[in-house]
Amino acid sequence: MTSPHPRLRTAPVLCVLVCHDGDQWLSTALSALRRQRIRPRHVIAVDTGSTDRTAKVLAEAEDLLDGVLTLPRGTGFGTAVRIAVEHAVERWGDPGKWLWLLHDDSAPEPDCLAALLTAAEVSSSAAVLGPLCLDWVDSRLVVEAGLSTDSSGHRQTGLSSAEHSASFQQSTEVLAVSSAGSLIRREVWHALGGYDEAMPLLRDDLDFGWRANRAGHLVLCVPVARMRHARAATKGARRLDAAMARPGPSFRGVDRAHGMRTFLVNCSGLSFLIGLPRLLFLSLLRALGFLFLRRFADAHAEVGAARYLLSRGRLLEGRRARRGSAVVRGLFTSRLTRFRNALRAGAAFLIRRRVEADAALGRLPATDAGSTWLERPSGLSSSRPRRPARRCVS
């Protein structure tokens, strides 16, 4: 007699879901996790001191979660993942060959994990893999296709003229992938020491990918694996409570400070000697330009980033902790490419403004904003025995 419910397949994967005041996205993220064609062996959620309904939403997901860890509100992403992995190793011994990191505002499509694991089997040297990140509302719009940086520490998202999801098909070698949705070999995670906890938020994923490349590992963006990402912090919908000290909690200030630090602690010795005074000078120059334009918040962010490098950046300590000598030069973004991307981004901004105006007037065709794949299917949760989510307070 066959079971009325489909049998769920699991893979040797430990999924770590980090949450922070994300109740408006978390239910959707959990629903997407339930719908994975291949489930992780274990799923641990980490709540970093949320004050909204996050704790309640996690408690209601006891059919999906193997445990919920509660950490202080100022805990950074890397610290949260480290504690979750340590807890999993202590509890199960071998929680899985892979780590799958998710944010509470990220929703992987049903084949996302399966596609990442398939790409890992095909490319046996791949140690870090990431999905194509799509807009939270419109899955046709790509928001991240791997990460890179330039010599000024500006973050690049792997996008050029192609922003439509159909334009991305082949897996590509990249400098890094977003922490949201990244699949990491657990042995590589331990060997590299995880994310640099000196950067509790922003750019920690770029730094980790750079270190993985330097250690000779392959970092891949896998476009057939797709995930919606709301990018709450980037859009200002989430407070940066883990970066309250200078230069935080301004998103631009933290982003610039950590971006410059990532470049300086990972670049060559000559680039470091030239780059430190150059970046400090450029930051002050940009600050003056923003003051002239009366963009006082941006000017303050640039000054704060320069102060961070000199006082709290721990640059020499960070450089000593980096190991490996593999060449990664071809994975950086040139100034010319950055200039082209800026022009295209400006054109895309104008197009989006026109689309928004057409949408307000009801001139656009229906889209997939309803996201039927995000809805929890009836009976699916009952195909896995319900188990209590153990809450561990650290």
Side-chain angles (χ1 to χ4, degrees):
M1 180 177 179
T2 60
S3 171
H5 303 299
R7 177 175 295 179
L8 295 176
R9 295 175 56 195
T10 60
V13 175
L14 168 64
C15 176
V16 179
L17 173 65
V18 180
C19 309
H20 184 80
D21 290 346
D23 65 342
Q24 58 181 308
W25 311 284
L26 181 56
S27 294
T28 302
L30 292 171
S31 176
L33 189 54
R34 284 190 181 95
R35 294 185 65 103
Q36 289 303 297
R37 183 165 61 87
I38 296 180
R39 289 271 192 92
R41 177 185 296 170
H42 303 292
V43 182
I44 292 182
V46 184
D47 181 9
T48 57
S50 299
T51 58
D52 58 3
R53 296 181 60 258
T54 292
K56 181 179 180 181
V57 174
L58 292 176
E60 294 171 349
E62 59 182 12
D63 63 301
L64 177 66
L65 304 177
D66 293 287
V68 179
L69 306 181
T70 302
L71 301 178
R73 188 166 178 80
T75 304
F77 183 83
T79 303
V81 175
R82 174 180 59 80
I83 293 175
V85 174
E86 291 174 352
H87 170 78
V89 171
E90 180 181 355
R91 181 175 172 185
W92 294 296
D94 179 13
K97 179 181 179 181
W98 295 92
L99 301 178
W100 194 28
L101 310 184
L102 294 177
H103 299 185
D104 56 8
D105 63 343
S106 63
E109 295 194 351
D111 289 333
C112 183
L113 179 57
L116 290 174
L117 291 171
T118 299
E121 292 178 2
V122 173
S123 302
S124 58
S125 59
V128 184
L129 305 96
L132 191 71
C133 292
L134 310 175
D135 183 71
W136 184 258
V137 176
D138 188 350
S139 65
R140 298 168 300 179
L141 182 63
V142 178
V143 295
E144 283 180 355
L147 300 177
S148 183
T149 186
D150 59 18
S151 58
S152 295
H154 293 97
R155 181 176 182 269
Q156 305 295 321
T157 58
L159 303 179
S160 55
S161 59
E163 289 191 343
H164 196 283
S165 59
S167 303
F168 296 85
Q169 298 295 332
Q170 298 296 324
S171 297
T172 54
E173 184 177 353
V174 294
L175 182 64
V177 294
S178 171
S179 58
S182 60
L183 185 70
I184 305 171
R185 289 188 188 272
R186 189 162 62 88
E187 62 179 3
V188 173
W189 170 271
H190 290 301
L192 296 178
Y195 284 173
D196 187 348
E197 297 180 23
M199 297 184 291
L201 291 172
L202 305 180
R203 303 305 189 95
D204 46 357
D205 46 12
L206 182 58
D207 172 78
F208 183 81
W210 194 335
R211 286 187 284 132
N213 272 286
R214 288 188 60 181
H217 302 295
L218 186 64
V219 181
L220 289 179
C221 175
V222 185
V224 293
R226 305 197 167 192
M227 182 191 70
R228 313 257 182 138
H229 193 195
R231 299 174 295 151
T234 302
K235 294 183 176 181
R238 192 203 307 272
R239 285 171 49 89
L240 304 183
D241 291 304
M244 292 300 292
R246 293 180 184 276
S250 161
F251 174 85
R252 180 179 174 84
V254 176
D255 186 57
R256 287 296 297 134
H258 290 177
M260 291 191 291
R261 182 185 187 275
T262 296
F263 175 79
L264 290 173
V265 298
N266 288 288
C267 66
S268 66
L270 179 60
S271 296
F272 174 77
L273 293 176
I274 298 174
L276 179 57
R278 177 179 61 85
L279 290 179
L280 292 174
F281 173 75
L282 289 177
S283 290
L284 296 179
L285 194 62
R286 290 191 190 96
L288 291 175
F290 286 135
L291 285 175
F292 179 77
L293 297 174
R294 303 183 66 83
R295 293 168 57 178
F296 302 117
D298 290 338
H300 182 269
E302 290 289 342
V303 173
R307 186 190 303 118
Y308 168 85
L309 289 182
L310 293 175
S311 61
R312 303 180 59 252
R314 296 160 57 184
L315 300 180
L316 296 179
E317 177 184 341
R319 290 185 62 83
R320 286 193 295 268
R322 267 68 182 169
R323 297 185 300 273
S325 57
V327 178
V328 296
R329 185 182 303 276
L331 303 177
F332 295 106
T333 303
S334 67
R335 289 186 176 88
L336 179 59
T337 300
R338 184 179 165 224
F339 178 71
R340 290 173 179 170
N341 290 347
L343 293 179
R344 289 164 178 154
F349 173 77
L350 296 177
I351 293 173
R352 290 192 188 99
R353 291 293 297 271
R354 178 60 184 271
V355 170
E356 290 172 357
D358 289 344
L361 296 174
R363 296 175 180 171
L364 292 182
T367 68
D368 66 343
S371 305
T372 56
W373 66 272
L374 292 176
E375 297 173 3
R376 180 172 175 173
S378 59
L380 181 58
S381 63
S382 60
S383 60
R384 179 179 180 181
R386 293 176 66 88
R387 54 189 173 188
R390 295 174 53 185
R391 179 170 293 275
C392 308
V393 182
S394 300

